[in-house]
Amino acid sequence: MKQKVVTFGEIMLRLAPEGYYRFVQADTFGATYGGGEANVAVSLANYGFDAKYVTRLPNHEIGQCAINSLRKYGVDTSYIARGGDRIGIYYLEKGASQRPSKVIYDRAGSSIYTATSADFNWDEIFKDCAWFHITGITPALCDNVAELTIEACKKAKEYGVKISCDLNYRNKLWSKEKAGEVMAKICEYVDVCIANEEDAADVFGIKASNTDVTSGEVNREGYKEVASELTRRFGFEKVAITLRESINANINNWSAMLYDGKDYYFSKRYNMQIVDRVGGGDSFGAGLIAASLEGYDAQSTIEFAVAASCLKHSVEGDFNMVSMDEVLKLAGGDGSGRVQR
């Protein structure tokens, strides 16, 4: 077993119509589980790390189903608190061609909303821990959870744990103003900042020049300015930014950039035929963490993270169910998709 990594957030029940049916067409909804930080934990467990997931779930059968979905892939769930009345839900309608995917949240008042410090023994959680990962989704839920996130970051720092944060702005959960205020406090503790092509602009007003994400035009060079300004403002050790060029809902170009405070590293660009893009950013974050803990150099790190995420776009559900070897093979240049016999 490799090093211990902890993630903290909310895992939800995902309800989705079959295939590309719209909500209004669906007579049945498939049930799976997922959530930003849980998705990262599953990826890391698949890579052989001691991945531990922290959350709070109701003490009934549906809460247990969520826990079982994590255990299935080797995630340690021993730090999950039980209590509250409900699990958060999100509904997903997968887009196709020029019709975008849609997400509807039903998570207000879920178990994590009423969690308290007493639910989590942070000293035990961060003992012998190498890395702690959070996102901007969980603190967006309510002020209480934001304070718990900050509390966890403070304790992780006491134990010398490396902290990564995916900004992950969600406009259905909070305003840009509120996000900027809260995430600025959290980023005081963060070592590695992860963002997509829009997050820095939405959360901190830091925009890349000559970029229009709605038309699929991403100026890679403009993100050097974004990473540099984020580092200047918060003192990050590293900034990683995914660069999605959306041709349509099914076809995207996918690459990323890593800034280590001195140099900028760009990955190769993949042309993806998307099966399921939910969890794509989480699989990138997990790949970045795994490669960093494995001691890869900067270029190899960003190549691994992008390859991991590229593969996730071919997998149904939130979780990235791929192995270290599969990622390394793609990162090494074998993207043919030929049958392996």
Side-chain angles (χ1 to χ4, degrees):
M1 184 69 72
K2 299 176 183 178
Q3 297 176 76
K4 175 180 172 179
V5 182
V6 172
T7 73
F8 169 66
E10 180 178 36
I11 187 169
M12 294 173 288
L13 170 63
R14 163 176 157 169
L15 298 177
E18 179 183 357
Y20 292 95
Y21 276 86
R22 306 213 67 187
F23 288 135
V24 294
Q25 291 178 287
D27 295 315
T28 60
F29 288 75
T32 54
Y33 296 86
E37 305 85 357
N39 300 342
V40 171
V42 169
S43 281
L44 290 168
N46 285 335
Y47 299 148
F49 289 88
D50 180 13
K52 300 180 185 292
Y53 180 61
V54 182
T55 192
R56 185 171 184 257
L57 285 167
N59 192 22
H60 55 46
E61 288 84 353
I62 304 304
Q64 190 62 44
C65 285
I67 290 174
N68 292 347
S69 73
L70 296 166
R71 287 178 175 170
K72 180 179 180 180
Y73 298 106
V75 175
D76 187 329
T77 60
S78 58
Y79 296 141
I80 294 180
R82 305 302 292 269
D85 298 321
R86 66 181 301 248
I87 187 172
I89 299 171
Y90 86 93
Y91 299 85
L92 172 68
E93 177 186 282
K94 288 207 293 187
S97 191
Q98 279 66 45
R99 176 172 61 82
S101 296
K102 290 187 176 181
V103 169
I104 296 174
Y105 290 120
D106 177 17
R107 56 201 301 187
S110 64
S111 290
I112 196 74
Y113 274 69
T114 53
T116 68
S117 299
D119 287 309
F120 311 112
N121 184 342
W122 296 117
D123 288 296
E124 179 64 26
I125 288 168
F126 290 123
K127 181 181 179 182
D128 301 321
C129 179
W131 200 290
F132 179 47
H133 180 75
I134 54 174
T135 77
I137 299 173
T138 300
L141 298 177
C142 63
D143 290 343
N144 176 56
V145 183
E147 287 302 317
L148 277 175
T149 304
I150 293 172
E151 176 184 290
C153 287
K154 289 179 178 178
K155 184 59 69 171
K157 279 300 177 188
E158 289 180 19
Y159 281 83
V161 177
K162 194 76 71 178
I163 300 176
S164 59
C165 178
D166 190 333
L167 295 180
N168 256 344
Y169 176 69
R170 298 289 185 267
N171 63 11
K172 290 187 176 182
L173 296 179
W174 58 357
S175 68
K176 293 178 180 179
E177 293 73 22
K178 181 70 172 181
E181 174 190 340
V182 174
M183 294 310 295
K185 296 177 182 177
I186 290 172
C187 284
E188 294 177 17
Y189 306 96
V190 172
D191 302 294
V192 179
C193 178
I194 302 167
N196 69 18
E197 63 286 338
E198 298 179 277
D199 286 334
D202 288 335
V203 178
F204 297 124
I206 303 172
K207 300 179 181 179
S209 59
N210 301 318
T211 286
D212 181 4
V213 296
T214 58
S215 65
E217 295 178 8
V218 174
N219 174 27
R220 288 158 64 100
E221 292 298 310
Y223 285 93
K224 290 182 178 180
E225 306 162 14
V226 173
S228 179
E229 177 58 22
L230 283 169
T231 300
R232 186 199 66 78
R233 192 176 298 187
F234 297 107
F236 298 132
E237 291 180 12
K238 295 178 182 178
V239 175
I241 301 176
T242 57
L243 305 172
R244 185 187 298 274
E245 299 165 287
S246 294
I247 312 305
N248 58 46
N250 300 107
I251 302 173
N252 287 181
N253 291 324
W254 184 247
S255 61
M257 183 201 76
L258 178 64
Y259 177 55
D260 65 2
K262 297 183 296 182
D263 298 310
Y264 304 89
Y265 302 87
F266 286 90
S267 73
K268 63 172 67 73
R269 181 189 280 115
Y270 295 94
N271 179 259
M272 304 185 301
Q273 307 287 321
I274 297 173
V275 171
D276 190 338
R277 65 164 286 179
V278 176
D282 306 320
S283 59
F284 173 82
L288 192 79
I289 294 167
S292 298
L293 289 174
E294 288 288 298
Y296 292 3
D297 62 38
Q299 189 64 50
S300 298
T301 295
I302 197 64
E303 295 291 0
F304 184 91
V306 169
S309 188
C310 179
L311 288 173
K312 163 61 195 79
H313 286 77
S314 72
V315 179
E316 289 277 7
D318 275 53
F319 299 156
N320 191 21
M321 293 172 280
V322 300
S323 69
M324 200 97 174
D325 286 344
E326 288 174 312
V327 178
L328 288 169
K329 191 167 186 176
L330 178 57
D334 186 354
S336 65
R338 291 177 63 86
V339 176
Q340 296 180 7
R341 293 188 173 96

